[in-house]
Amino acid sequence: MENTPLYDALTAFAARDPLRMHMPGHKGKSLPGLGSLAAIDFTELPPTGNLFDGGGAIGEAEALWAEALHMDSCLFLTGGSTQGVLAALTLACQPGDRVLLDRGSHRSAYNALALLDLKPVYLDRPWLAQAGVTGPVSPERVEELLESNPEIKALCITSPTYYGVLSDLPALAKIMHRHGGVLVVDGAHGAHLPFLGDYGLNAADLLVVSAHKTLPAPGQTALLFSNGTFSHAGLRRAASIYGSSSPSYPMMAALDLCRAHMLEGGADAYRKTVEEVARLRNTFPALTEEVAPLDPTRLVVCAPDGYAAQDALEGRNVWPEMADGGHVVFIPTCADSRSDFARLEEALRQVDLGPCPGYPAPPEPPEMALTPRQALFAPRQSLPLEQAEGQVAACQVAPYPPGVPVIAPGERVDKKSIAYLKQIGYNTLEDVSVAVL
């Protein structure tokens, strides 16, 4: 059996029947509806260790994760990949720095811009018109932007995307290192890839993955990895700024158990998932490797009306991750059985699928009138989007998921962006926050 040092330490300590005159308040007794989970829910004690002090059983468990992903250091996160992205950009940048940011970044990266007063240079992605999604980050485009903005020392991108699109991380890392910078990768949707033998993520200097998104782990469990430049002490320091000083021990133990499970049999189960997804991609209209490098487990089917297809599936008690005007996105994992895939296939046969309609490329970003920090912390008011033309956005205006902003905080709401949002089916009657200047 795989080594699980943190889980073993917690269960061994619980077996001693300690008198718990400390947090948490349940004292190791059964939680309503959650049974024995309370037994391994401790606070920071010598036998249980301290996440942000390093070492001990937690450190041993983190080191095993780093080894599994071929990285130098790993830190457990109980605040999701959001905590990891905030910590990674804190390490990669100094307040006030200019950063090259993938326009398709998660909103946590945009919040980091405001919290750290970073100045973004937005990195556009090529539009794949036939597929109706953005493609991989272009190394040539990154090189071009670095040449024209030599003060940039960090690049932050998302790979894989919500649609499973993968970028060439080794190529991007080489470019950044040649320019004296670092590569930060939000790989929230890619925690499973190394267990399939794909170690492209370890080209990142700082990497964030969500265990809970694609591995058998509970919500909010995530991991922050580093290679070379950034020490484990640095990871702990930055993540402690954004994480609770009382992180959940059951969540950390779940990360320990998750890794052991993946090495014992979960990876084999994931390879079967790859086979099932390949079969479904060949059976139904779907994104394939012909349009872009893809996560082999992400299933994105195409439809004349993605929202209608999503509604039809939900009416059959099949719940996709998300939809847009021309796609429905599913996240199959190693937890899905053959019968689950058979059920999904039967449901897909009952809905209207077909080529993605002429889905438009996002417009050019609007004018930036305020910095992200000024926008986030400005006094604000709410207005219907169609009444906000000319105002400065104090928040992201983006269909969520996937959360790619059409209008980013600090940008001026313009006519073309409103028209685009209306065209893709965004609820333009929804109020948006704008800065009161």
Side-chain angles (χ1 to χ4, degrees), residues 51-55 59 62-63 66 71-77 84 87-88 90-92 182 204-207 223-240:
L51 174 62
F52 296 124
D53 280 355
E62 290 171 332
M71 299 291 281
D72 289 344
S73 297
C74 169
L75 184 75
F76 287 173
L77 303 171
T90 297
L91 288 166
V182 298
D205 297 291
L206 290 163
L207 167 68
L223 306 117
L224 173 60
F225 294 92
S226 69
N227 262 340
T229 307
F230 301 96
S231 67
H232 194 267
L235 301 186
R236 299 196 308 271
R237 176 189 63 79
S240 69

Side-chain angles (χ1 to χ4, degrees), residues 303-355:
D305 184 337
Y307 298 116
Q310 179 185 41
D311 289 344
L313 288 162
E314 291 176 355
R316 291 171 171 78
N317 206 25
V318 173
W319 299 83
E321 170 66 18
M322 58 161 281
D324 62 31
H327 311 91
V328 185
V329 178
F330 304 85
I331 304 182
T333 75
C334 58
D336 291 303
S337 65
R338 182 165 293 178
S339 63
D340 293 326
F341 282 107
R343 184 178 172 190
L344 175 58
E345 180 176 359
E346 177 59 27
L348 287 172
R349 293 188 184 281
Q350 306 303 313
V351 301
D352 185 17
L353 301 177

Side-chain angles (χ1 to χ4, degrees), residues 387-414:
Q387 296 179 23
E389 184 180 345
Q391 303 293 318
V392 179
C395 64
Q396 286 177 270
V397 181
Y400 192 87
V404 177
V406 175
I407 306 169
E411 293 177 342
R412 196 175 298 282
V413 181
D414 60 7

